[in-house]
Structure formats: structure tokens, C-alpha cells
Amino acid sequence: MKIKILIKIVPATQCIQIDRVTGNLLRETTDSKLNPSDEKALEIARNYTYHNPDTSIECISMSARYLEKLHRQILALGADKVTVLTDDAFIGSDAWATSNVLYTYLKHENEWDLLLVGEQSIDGSTGQIPIRLSERLQIPLVFDVIGINRVDNQTIVVSSDKKGEKRFLLKGRAILVVSSETIIPYYPSLTDLSDAGISGSVNYLDKIDLGLSNQDIGHENSKTKVINTYIKECKKQCMLLKNIDDYQKLLSKLKG
């Protein structure tokens, strides 16, 4: 089985900067991390590979090249391959324009069985991407997914809501929206992180590689128009510990 997963990179802090002209988040000035819901989607796929080692996992991210460390982190979390869709023309894309870019790639890279996505992103929370992709790809959409099983050479998807668990037998492609409630993501070891830095495949594709024009992508062609934005004043002081150097800085600070 070939599984594709959409991974969004989001701000790692509430202290952000906004472009006053476009209303877009200035991501290059903000610390970033993998979207938590998408990490859980990757964990479901990773668990599936334990009993089905012939499964391949490819993660797809619309993000910038300078975030390569996070792209490598995706490999450490269990992906076999990471494809990054990156181009200045994609900047400022809303959910509609973003889905156009993703749809173009998914249609071009046609050999896959399941597409997993997180329930929502913490910096947008629209939840519209999987719905639009399901409509354009004309494949079913399953919400609140908590697991995938393989029984008698058939794929069983398990979902859970307030009424209990449900099981679906898939007879073709599907988009699975992963629940963020019950799944605990995998935390990579230092060995995983080290291996991801020297192995694994990270491919970068721009609009030319995808055969896209500026029509229907980017800020100017997005359907959503931001009227106004404001920045919440951040009063908390915190330190995000991402690597050994950060821990050493914290120890030095605590020692005075």
C-alpha cells in the first residue's frame, strides 16, 4: 500500500508578526513546528507499517526550503519520503488556492492508495482542504479516523465519535481525516533525528515542476480576503527546547 500524508508547518509560538499590507503571517520571522494533528496522521500510518512492512509513506508539505530541518524531522517520525511544494507564487494561498496546488500534485503522482490529513491546523482551523480534495479527486472522505487495519487482504478504517467506534471497508482510494483526540504521536530518538539528517529523501518541487501558472494560486488569486488583522500582546516568556544546544542554554540560565 502507498500512503500519502499532508503535513503543514505552523508557528511554534503565539508571538507572531503579520504583514500589514497582505494580512499574511510572516513565517520567516516565526519559530515553526509540525502541525500536531498532522503528526498524529503520520503516527497512524507508522503503526500500520508495523504489520504491513510493504507499505510506503510519503509526506507532502507546502512550505519553504529554509525549513529543511523540519522536513528532515518528518523522516525521523517514520516517513520514507518527503515532498515539499515550494514557490514564491504559493505564498499567501488560502484553503482554496492551497487545495489547487495539492490537487495538481496528487493528480500527477497518481500511484497511491490512501491520503491522510490531520483534523485541522492550529494556525487556520478551516478544515476545508480534505473536503475540497475529496470533491475534486472524486473519492470518499472518512472523518474521525483512529486506525487502519489490514484483514484478509482488505483495508479496514476505524473511526470514533460520540456514538462509539465504526469500521469501514475500503474498496478503493479514500481520504482519511484523523481524529486528534486519542492518538499520541511518536517522539523520535536522537538516533532517529541523526539518521534523518543523512538519509531519506526530501524532494523540492516548484510551480514549473507542477505545470502550474499563477492562476488559482497565491494571495492575489485566493478567494478569502483578509479585511483586518491584529496581534495579541504576548506577556509570557518561554523558551522552546528543540535540541541539545537549547537545553545547555537553559541550564546556563538556571545556574545564573
Side-chain angles (χ1 to χ4, degrees):
M1 177 181 287
K2 295 183 178 181
I3 299 176
K4 292 186 184 291
I5 305 170
L6 301 184
I7 301 282
K8 188 174 185 180
I9 295 178
V10 297
T13 174
Q14 292 184 348
C15 298
I16 60 174
Q17 292 182 325
I18 298 292
D19 186 319
R20 291 299 186 183
V21 177
T22 65
N24 293 329
L25 171 67
L26 296 174
R27 296 183 183 273
E28 63 273 14
T29 63
T30 305
D31 288 335
S32 301
K33 66 178 182 179
L34 305 182
N35 185 51
S37 292
D38 299 337
E39 284 187 292
K40 294 180 179 183
L42 179 50
E43 178 62 12
I44 282 185
R46 198 177 71 89
N47 286 336
Y48 181 82
T49 62
Y50 285 152
H51 304 289
N52 302 274
D54 58 336
T55 301
S56 65
I57 300 174
E58 176 191 356
C59 290
I60 306 163
S61 177
M62 275 183 65
S63 51
R65 282 180 176 268
Y66 67 80
L67 296 169
E68 183 181 2
K69 286 186 178 180
L70 287 175
H71 302 149
R72 290 285 172 185
Q73 182 180 330
I74 297 172
L75 294 172
L77 291 172
D80 300 302
K81 174 183 177 182
V82 177
T83 298
V84 181
L85 311 179
T86 181
D87 198 296
D88 287 347
F90 300 159
I91 295 175
S93 293
D94 66 356
W96 180 83
T98 296
S99 69
N100 292 335
V101 177
L102 294 172
Y103 166 76
T104 299
Y105 177 73
L106 292 168
K107 186 178 179 181
H108 181 264
E109 295 293 324
N110 203 34
E111 294 184 2
W112 53 273
D113 301 290
L114 294 177
L115 176 65
L116 274 61
V117 299
E119 193 171 39
Q120 61 185 13
S121 64
I122 61 173
D123 65 343
S125 301
T126 65
Q128 295 302 306
I129 297 293
I131 297 172
R132 179 155 171 79
L133 288 176
S134 172
E135 178 183 42
R136 295 201 66 183
L137 292 167
Q138 296 185 334
I139 58 177
L141 180 65
V142 182
F143 285 95
D144 302 317
V145 173
I146 60 172
I148 312 170
N149 300 315
R150 191 76 175 168
V151 180
D152 296 330
N153 207 33
Q154 294 181 313
T155 303
I156 307 295
V157 173
V158 184
S159 72
S160 177
D161 57 23
K162 294 179 180 179
K163 296 181 180 180
E165 289 190 1
K166 300 177 184 178
R167 284 168 170 76
F168 300 88
L169 171 63
L170 296 184
K171 296 186 178 181
R173 286 181 176 178
I175 298 176
L176 310 183
V177 181
V178 174
S179 169
S180 61
E181 296 297 325
T182 60
I183 301 163
I184 300 175
Y186 172 70
Y187 294 97
S189 65
L190 290 176
T191 301
D192 291 332
L193 292 171
S194 177
D195 290 345
I198 59 176
S199 63
S201 173
V202 179
N203 299 322
Y204 294 91
L205 302 176
D206 58 22
K207 69 174 186 179
I208 296 176
D209 297 319
L210 297 173
L212 282 167
S213 65
N214 285 343
Q215 185 179 4
D216 297 336
I217 61 174
H219 173 74
E220 292 298 325
N221 296 300
S222 292
K223 301 296 184 183
T224 305
K225 301 302 178 184
V226 178
I227 297 175
N228 192 18
T229 59
Y230 71 94
I231 301 175
K232 181 181 178 181
E233 182 182 356
C234 296
K235 298 182 179 180
K236 295 182 179 179
Q237 293 186 353
C238 61
M239 179 183 292
L240 182 64
L241 305 179
K242 298 185 289 186
N243 51 48
I244 294 176
D245 291 339
D246 291 340
Y247 282 99
Q248 291 176 340
K249 290 178 182 178
L250 176 60
L251 287 175
S252 298
K253 188 173 183 179
L254 292 175
K255 290 178 180 178

